Amino acid sequence: MMSQNHQDLYQDIDHILISEEQLQQRVAAIAAAIEADYAEDEDLLLICVLKGGYIFLSDLSRALKRPHHLDFMGISSYGGGTTSRGAVQIIMDLKQPLAGRNVLIVEDIIDSGHTLSYLRQNLLARQPASLKICTLLNKPSRREVDVAVDYIGFDIPDEFVVGYGLDFDELYRNFPFIAVLKPEVFAHLNL
Ligand code: IMP
Ligand code: MG
């Protein structure tokens, strides 16, 4: 592994793509859009897609002024590398039924679209009253499967990003911004 401690992790950064301030402003705007779209007395269940969605979910949840419930789902679609193999696995399922609920999936990033398209079908089969998708980041140029997304934080170019929940090899999730790593960090991979 390239980096051993916190300080070293910051040395792996090539550049910051989205600053902490930009993230916070966008999260507030998305929360306002969600508040406008759901009636005040309507039930709303946010589903956090783990692990990558954990920071976005916690900021979005705190920015939402309306009541809502939370549940968590563990999904694995990647190995240790940086490209999707299209294979999606549920490694931890929801704790509650979705029938009749207004469900909003909270995801870190949509890349090929395989993960969300699988998740969408899987959750629709549980017959929620409504199902919407919210993603912090979107890489439109990488799409292999079409997925309708209701809320998008930022469209980004085809670059592998880390921070604000997103990892490379399970590291860098704790960066408070979205960053691109130096090419040499990936040098040991056969991509
Ligand atoms: P998809 O199935 O190709 O859309 O991939 C979605 C999942 O791949 C996300 O939930 C992330 O876990 C992971 N992913 C895709 N792009 C990136 C990236 O740039 N950085 C970190 N993780 C990524
Ligand atoms: Mg993920």
Side-chain angles (χ1 to χ4, degrees), residues 49 52 77-78 82 84 86 88 107-116 139 142-143 156 159-162 166-168 173:
V49 183
S77 48
Y78 276 52
T82 60
S84 179
V88 182
E107 201 14 330
D108 53 355
I109 186 165
I110 307 182
D111 186 49
S112 70
H114 286 293
T115 305
L116 266 180
K139 287 184 190 168
R142 299 258 310 168
R143 201 69 94 251
I156 62 167
E159 278 184 296
F160 193 82
V161 294
V162 297
L166 291 109
D167 74 302
F168 168 61
R173 293 190 195 277

Side-chain angles (χ1 to χ4, degrees), residues 44-140:
L44 176 62
L45 173 64
L46 304 190
I47 292 183
C48 176
V49 183
L50 296 172
K51 301 175 196 168
Y54 80 106
I55 293 186
F56 181 36
L57 184 277
S58 73
D59 279 351
L60 185 64
S61 176
R62 283 177 292 184
L64 273 176
K65 307 290 190 298
R66 65 158 358 263
H68 56 277
H69 294 99
L70 303 175
D71 206 343
F72 298 86
M73 194 160 185
I75 294 278
S76 175
S77 48
Y78 276 52
T82 60
T83 49
S84 179
R85 297 163 307 178
V88 182
Q89 222 188 332
I90 294 181
I91 48 183
M92 187 188 88
D93 208 344
L94 301 170
K95 299 283 183 284
Q96 52 198 295
L98 298 185
R101 313 287 308 270
N102 292 308
V103 174
L104 178 60
I105 301 174
V106 179
E107 201 14 330
D108 53 355
I109 186 165
I110 307 182
D111 186 49
S112 70
H114 286 293
T115 305
L116 266 180
S117 132
Y118 170 84
L119 199 58
R120 198 171 166 276
Q121 290 313 310
N122 185 291
L123 299 188
L124 276 178
R126 307 178 194 201
Q127 300 181 313
S130 69
L131 180 64
K132 287 192 180 188
I133 294 176
C134 174
T135 186
L136 178 72
L137 304 177
N138 182 39
K139 287 184 190 168

Side-chain angles (χ1 to χ4, degrees), residues 23-24 27 52 55-56 59 136 163-166 173 175-178:
L23 286 169
Q24 295 309 325
V27 170
I55 293 186
F56 181 36
D59 279 351
L136 178 72
Y164 202 70
L166 291 109
R173 293 190 195 277
F175 285 172
F177 41 73
I178 298 288

